Amino acid sequence: MSGTAYLVCDYCYRHCRLKDKEVGFCGVRERSRDVIFTHNYGGLVAIAVDPVEKKPLYHFLPGTNTLSIAMFGCNLTCSFCQNYAISQKAWDSSAQRTYYTAREVVDLAREKQCPSISFTYSEPLVWQDYMIEVATLAKQEGLKTIMVSNGTFSEEALHRINPCIDAFNIDIKGDDAFYHGYCGGSGRPVWKALEQIAQSKAHLEVTTMVMEGVHTIEMITSIANNLFSAGIQVWHLSRYFPRYQEQRHETSEQYLEAMVKEVRSSHIPYVYPGNSSLDQNTYCPQCKALLIRRTWAFHDSSIDQSHCPVCGHHIYGTWL
Ligand code: SF4
């Protein structure tokens, strides 16, 4: 109603209450009279063709390319952000944008022979109206859709987004102290969303960036136990490199290797090191047969109609 003291944005867990002309925490959503709108709708700050493994998704259409797109913005303030120039408010006005309609994005995916479109690089939650428009058209035209997110959904947003996304990669950044200290946010909404996505039809993989000395064995083990309880099948533990405001030294291969070794006994069936030269292959959790060879990208797969060709064990994923 006109003149309402405030309107609530329900795009993420923050539920910002906006007076007229106010901008939300993300700097992307703004109230104008009786509506909240998304700044620079359709203005892409990044567009690229990536191997789907780069999202990272290792169990979803492996060996294919995905058209990756991003609008500007994020609702967290991670000090180590790897893409800060297209996500953090201070760079908003300097970001170069090219405007694409949903139709143009879908046509481009076809032209580039990508069977999927990924919403990635920044935080798609804060530009979810555009994501939903593109994803809906993409699905109508037989393309798959991928969302790479920090997972801080509101209930309403998850309800809107889940039906139009085929595969998610969600970050679990650390324990609650880490979310408060390094990200300006909370892990609670992320765990809630993760559990709901895990129970839906969508494909789901999880990523945790490991910062040496900060992500301890105790923290990673505790996350592993919670992921296992939530039914998570695929977990990427990736090496941290210094970016943005965070200058501590990069995580060593040895540190990551120790973490991966520890959590491989957590019963999560598929655990992968990321940003690393460590073994990235997929093995059958039951008979240990080598199923997919990959380095940073896919090489070959022996998975036979979602099953291990040696022992017949069902392998989680969406396979060609
Ligand atoms: S997207 Fe999140 S941070 Fe941005 S205005 Fe909406 S509720 Fe606030």
Side-chain angles (χ1 to χ4, degrees):
M1 266 176 71
S2 181
T4 305
Y6 61 82
L7 294 179
V8 178
C9 174
D10 68 4
Y11 273 26
C12 79
Y13 81 109
R14 291 189 186 277
H15 284 110
C16 295
R17 294 152 62 105
L18 304 176
K19 293 182 187 152
D20 194 22
K21 298 190 172 37
E22 259 185 355
V23 180
F25 183 92
C26 58
V28 173
R29 301 273 294 154
E30 179 177 344
R31 176 174 173 186
S32 174
R33 298 174 66 87
D34 297 337
V35 294
I36 301 175
F37 70 95
T38 301
H39 279 281
N40 296 300
Y41 188 92
L44 300 186
V45 292
I47 184 158
V49 174
D50 293 324
V52 73
E53 284 78 9
K54 199 175 160 189
K55 295 303 93 194
L57 288 176
Y58 278 13
H59 288 229
F60 186 80
L61 304 178
T64 65
N65 283 335
T66 184
L67 182 71
S68 299
I69 63 169
M71 278 176 54
F72 190 93
C74 189
N75 60 346
L76 295 181
T77 55
C78 302
S79 58
F80 52 88
C81 182
Q82 307 289 299
N83 286 327
Y84 61 92
I86 60 167
S87 67
Q88 298 298 307
K89 276 181 280 192
W91 283 268
D92 189 1
S93 55
S94 57
Q96 298 264 324
R97 293 176 170 86
T98 311
Y99 287 83
Y100 279 74
T101 64
R103 165 54 57 198
E104 287 169 334
V105 174
V106 170
D107 286 349
L108 187 61
R110 288 217 175 288
E111 184 192 317
K112 301 288 184 188
Q113 301 187 319
C114 295
S116 66
I117 296 173
S118 292
F119 308 98
T120 178
Y121 302 138
S122 63
E123 179 44 60
L125 279 174
V126 306
W127 38 274
Q128 65 189 253
D129 43 0
Y130 180 71
M131 173 176 72
I132 289 170
E133 188 191 353
V134 175
T136 302
L137 183 62
K139 283 178 74 69
Q140 281 166 7
E141 306 235 340
L143 298 174
K144 300 288 188 196
T145 53
I146 295 167
M147 181 184 189
V148 181
S149 174
N150 64 31
T152 55
F153 292 80
S154 63
E155 276 288 337
E156 302 92 322
L158 188 55
H159 186 71
R160 279 191 294 267
I161 292 169
N162 207 359
C164 63
I165 296 294
D166 294 299
F168 291 86
N169 187 298
I170 303 288
D171 282 346
I172 289 290
K173 292 179 186 286
D175 60 13
D176 227 46
F178 185 85
Y179 272 97
H180 286 292
Y182 287 82
C183 307
S186 164
R188 249 175 300 154
V190 188
W191 282 105
K192 205 170 160 195
L194 204 65
E195 284 162 13
Q196 290 180 47
I197 295 169
Q199 284 166 19
S200 76
K201 287 183 186 155
H203 177 82
L204 173 61
E205 302 189 18
V206 173
T207 298
T208 300
M209 194 198 68
V210 175
M211 209 181 261
E212 187 160 347
V214 175
H215 291 80
T216 58
I217 286 277
E218 292 73 27
M219 193 203 292
I220 290 292
T221 305
S222 165
I223 293 172
N225 291 338
N226 291 336
L227 290 176
F228 179 69
S229 300
I232 302 306
Q233 300 275 314
V234 185
W235 189 18
H236 302 266
L237 291 172
S238 68
R239 275 171 79 205
Y240 150 86
F241 286 86
R243 291 276 188 289
Y244 192 33
Q245 298 159 340
E246 201 58 57
Q247 294 307 320
R248 67 173 51 241
H249 64 82
E250 68 190 49
T251 299
S252 65
E253 292 275 19
Q254 293 82 350
Y255 193 85
L256 188 73
E257 190 171 20
M259 292 289 169
V260 169
K261 200 170 163 200
E262 183 72 24
V263 299
R264 278 195 173 139
S265 58
S266 69
H267 306 301
I268 296 172
Y270 311 96
V271 178
Y272 298 106
N275 285 339
S276 160
S277 58
L278 297 170
D279 186 351
Q280 313 269 315
N281 295 333
T282 299
Y283 299 91
C284 174
Q286 186 160 279
C287 74
K288 311 299 175 209
L290 173 60
L291 299 175
I292 299 179
R293 274 194 321 121
R294 62 171 86 72
T295 46
W296 64 275
F298 171 85
H299 285 286
D300 55 63
S301 165
S302 62
I303 293 171
D304 182 10
Q305 297 183 18
S306 303
H307 290 83
C308 170
V310 178
C311 71
H313 185 75
H314 181 263
I315 307 299
Y316 175 78
T318 299
W319 313 105
L320 290 168

